Amino acid sequence: MTTAPASDLAVVEGPLDWDEFTTLYWDRRPVLIKAVRPAPFELREVFAATALATRPPGPYRMPPTAQFAVGRFQQTEPAHWFPRAEDGAFDGYRRRLDAELAAFSKETRYALVVHAFHAFHAGQWERQRAFFDPLWERTGLPVSGAITTLFHGNYEHTPVGVHKDRFATFLFALEGRKRMRFWRERPWTEPVTTKLDYQPHLAASFTAEPEPGDLLYWPASHYHVGESVDGGTATSVNVGVPREGHRAVYDVDDLLLGRTRDAMVDPDVALVRLPAATAPLSAPEPPADGALPEALEQTLRTFQDYRDPARMQDLVASLSLSTLTASGLCPVPPPETVRPLDDATTVRSRTRVLHQPVDGAVLCAANGHVLRSPLTPQQIEPLLHRLATHRPSPVGHLLATLPHAARPHARHLLETLESFRALTRDR
């Protein structure tokens, strides 16, 4: 990379050099990197993922990963304003929305935000993982998970106003012009965490205006806000890497409830997956023996199940394997449909498969998904070793050295790994 003279914002010409980036900018200062290639996000795929991510889960229900604001006001029932596949692209969506908002009110500025965005398109997720793997090699894997968020609209500024995240952020500009405004420290003294009306603090700020194809990075230490340029519409995808303010409860939630895309955005969505108490939620009087009311006893028994050492070992191993094979980009896209593999079908590996013995079985993981197999380590390790060579092999050849009783389990393992996108078939 070629660097411009030092200032609050560094501007560099690509190609992106990760060694230079981690030495000069990581956790230090914002940098705008021009024309980054190859970038993990393509506009056509981003629109397809957006239409999928904003599809309402039912009548009068909001997708938990989406937000929509008109002007400064968050909408509670905006499903008819979300992108649709028939819009074709952001241009078509924008034209439809302009007409619908004009009929709805005088305010035509809008903001569409989609959280857990990398979970909605497998190819996009794979490219994103490949893009950031060189960074993780230099800085370490974000074990609590990087986040990906889509921003689209012609909003005056980010709906929450000026704020500070616990994430270092990479902004990939995809279309239109967007201005990011930064402060090295909090520009106000009031006891609030965000600020919508920040005009009195403009003089202390500095800005960056990434163009489509550019990558803008800023550390977690900087306060910031996104702004439209001349009222135009812009689309970008942000990847946030946790750098400060981490709390143990985040890991407890992941361990007990998993890393689904809904749960990572809305904790209430995750908590409803714990069994509900069936006992009455009111008690006429305290029990004479000092015991807890039955509803609370049921709740305690639910959590005591997690004290079982074997169960906890399984949960910890699964979470660890999922994070490692996802390269920190959790939650991951759902697996594909399992398809039968006959002996003549030739398969080869697409990515690494990790495994770990637990409680009489073996956990196998790829691309953030985990399978529990009844095969023994002695049976599974030679099979995975042959796959790791990346050479095409007939399924029958891979199974030939296993005992006949183990072959159905091994075939199921291969079929499941293919659904995890860890294997591909040549014919």
Side-chain angles (χ1 to χ4, degrees), residues 67-78 81 101 104-105 107 109-112 155-160 196:
Q67 293 176 264
F68 190 88
V70 177
R72 291 188 172 187
F73 297 98
Q74 295 283 346
Q75 304 298 302
T76 58
E77 296 182 9
W81 288 329
L101 289 178
F104 170 73
S105 73
E107 178 60 76
R109 288 184 180 269
Y110 68 93
L112 172 64
Y155 45 90
E156 179 184 1
H157 54 67
T158 308
V160 298
L196 289 172

Side-chain angles (χ1 to χ4, degrees), residues 341-350 383 386-387 389-396 398 414-415 418 422-427:
L341 286 171
D342 59 36
D343 286 351
T345 302
T346 299
V347 297
R348 56 186 171 83
S349 175
R350 291 180 58 189
L383 176 62
R386 286 194 291 273
L387 289 175
T389 64
H390 298 280
R391 291 195 296 267
S393 300
V395 170
L398 291 170
L414 294 176
E415 291 168 348
E418 183 190 27
L423 301 182
T424 187
R425 58 179 77 193
D426 284 355
R427 62 180 178 85

Side-chain angles (χ1 to χ4, degrees), residues 169-339:
T169 302
F170 296 83
L171 183 155
F172 294 86
L174 299 177
E175 66 168 354
R177 295 178 61 198
K178 181 176 183 177
R179 178 187 302 115
M180 291 301 304
R181 186 177 297 276
F182 300 103
W183 291 260
R184 287 188 297 273
E185 54 190 31
R186 192 173 72 173
W188 62 84
T189 58
E190 301 93 323
V192 294
T193 56
T194 67
K195 199 164 190 182
L196 289 172
D197 298 310
Y198 54 89
Q199 286 76 12
H201 310 295
L202 293 180
S205 69
F206 61 97
T207 63
E209 293 189 14
E211 300 175 318
D214 292 350
L215 171 60
L216 175 64
Y217 163 83
W218 64 89
S221 57
H222 280 58
Y223 283 78
H224 57 278
V225 65
E227 302 171 343
S228 69
V229 178
D230 299 328
T233 305
T235 305
S236 61
V237 177
N238 290 11
V239 177
V241 184
R243 302 301 294 160
E244 57 183 48
H246 184 73
R247 298 181 180 180
V249 68
Y250 303 151
D251 298 316
V252 172
D253 286 347
D254 290 344
L255 185 61
L256 300 185
L257 304 172
R259 285 178 172 168
T260 68
R261 59 197 183 196
D262 294 355
M264 292 189 74
V265 175
D266 183 356
D268 292 338
V269 173
L271 291 173
V272 298
R273 292 191 286 135
L274 291 174
T278 57
L281 298 181
S282 59
E285 59 185 21
D289 58 1
L292 290 172
E294 179 56 25
L296 297 182
E297 289 284 3
Q298 287 185 6
T299 302
L300 280 179
R301 287 196 292 271
T302 295
F303 281 96
Q304 284 170 348
D305 288 343
Y306 287 92
R307 295 179 60 189
D308 178 66
R311 179 174 184 176
M312 289 306 301
Q313 180 188 19
D314 199 311
L315 286 172
V316 170
S318 294
L319 181 62
S320 176
L321 291 173
S322 173
T323 300
L324 289 171
T325 58
S327 294
L329 295 173
C330 300
V332 296
E336 297 175 348
T337 302
V338 174
R339 299 184 295 159

Side-chain angles (χ1 to χ4, degrees), residues 2 17 23 40 42 68 100 128 133 142 197 215 233 258 273 371:
T2 304
D17 182 323
T23 299
E42 298 177 0
F68 190 88
E100 292 181 1
Q128 185 178 346
D133 272 343
D197 298 310
L215 171 60
T233 305
R273 292 191 286 135
L371 163 72

Side-chain angles (χ1 to χ4, degrees), residues 36-47 49-50 90 116-129 131-132 147-150 170-175 212-215 235-240 329:
V36 170
R37 295 288 185 274
F41 300 102
E42 298 177 0
L43 193 59
R44 174 183 56 82
E45 291 181 349
V46 167
F47 178 79
T50 304
F90 281 111
F117 188 67
H118 62 238
F120 292 96
H121 195 288
Q124 202 165 251
W125 177 85
E126 290 180 356
R127 289 197 304 275
Q128 185 178 346
R129 185 181 66 171
F131 183 90
F132 282 103
I147 63 170
T148 307
T149 309
L150 168 99
F170 296 83
L171 183 155
F172 294 86
L174 299 177
E175 66 168 354
D214 292 350
L215 171 60
T235 305
S236 61
V237 177
N238 290 11
V239 177
L329 295 173

